[in-house]
Amino acid sequence: MTIGRVYTIPLDAISVTNDADQDIFEMVPGSVRDIVLHGFSITSAYTTDERARLRLLRRSTTGTGGSAATEVPTHPGNTNAADCALNTLVTTPGTIGSIIKAWQWSQQGELLYLPTPEMREVAVKSGDRLCLNLQTALGGTRTWSGWVCWEE
């Protein structure tokens, strides 16, 4: 059986500030492989109903700010480092290309995005980027957790 190179990034209690227009995660393919987004999950420690406008989008340039994340191979036999660079909490996003999907997410429940194989987004190594963008300002800093999973 052939297993693809599948990786996850844990989003472990990240502090999302009340700034509008920031990328929760930004995926930048390397020069070798395209990436395919398999899914993501976001949950919030906030217990009051507050709607967050989130958009899955493509960007043509990389943003600034944020933190580099370390990938975890899904298959224990995969000893290859991921070709994709993933950053979290990018406070100054890059140039928007197109909006792919959009949500008005209530932080009282999980946002679980698991597209069928035919609906999975692809970012190509020629400079495409996939981002989950927070478009609206929150009422204050919120603690979010979850994960991002992709294949290359």
Side-chain angles (χ1 to χ4, degrees):
M1 169 163 54
T2 303
I3 303 290
R5 291 172 52 164
V6 180
Y7 301 89
T8 59
I9 294 286
L11 305 173
D12 188 21
I14 60 175
S15 267
V16 180
T17 64
N18 60 347
D19 295 334
D21 197 20
Q22 60 183 304
D23 289 338
I24 304 306
F25 64 80
E26 175 190 58
M27 302 176 74
V28 182
S31 61
V32 178
R33 294 181 174 77
D34 297 345
I35 59 172
V36 179
L37 180 63
H38 280 237
F40 64 83
S41 169
I42 303 286
T43 59
S44 175
Y46 196 58
T47 58
T48 303
D49 184 23
E50 177 182 45
R51 304 299 164 123
R53 182 176 166 211
L54 296 170
R55 306 178 305 173
L56 183 63
L57 48 86
R58 294 184 194 282
R59 292 200 184 276
S60 58
T61 61
T62 300
T64 59
S67 302
T70 303
E71 75 277 357
V72 178
T74 301
H75 190 282
N78 179 3
T79 58
N80 298 305
D83 193 43
C84 172
L86 196 141
N87 294 307
T88 61
L89 300 175
V90 178
T91 53
T92 305
T95 306
I96 191 168
S98 57
I99 299 169
I100 303 168
K101 307 261 188 310
W103 297 268
Q104 293 286 340
W105 172 53
S106 169
Q107 294 178 65
Q108 290 184 306
E110 177 184 24
L111 173 56
L112 178 62
Y113 179 62
L114 293 174
T116 62
E118 300 82 9
M119 293 179 60
R120 291 180 182 153
E121 284 74 26
V122 175
V124 295
K125 60 185 172 280
S126 62
D128 208 3
R129 290 142 181 85
L130 288 176
C131 302
L132 182 64
N133 175 254
L134 171 62
Q135 185 58 35
T136 54
L138 302 173
T141 299
R142 306 291 183 241
T143 302
W144 291 3
S145 293
W147 50 267
V148 181
C149 180
W150 78 95
E151 181 176 1
E152 30 182 76

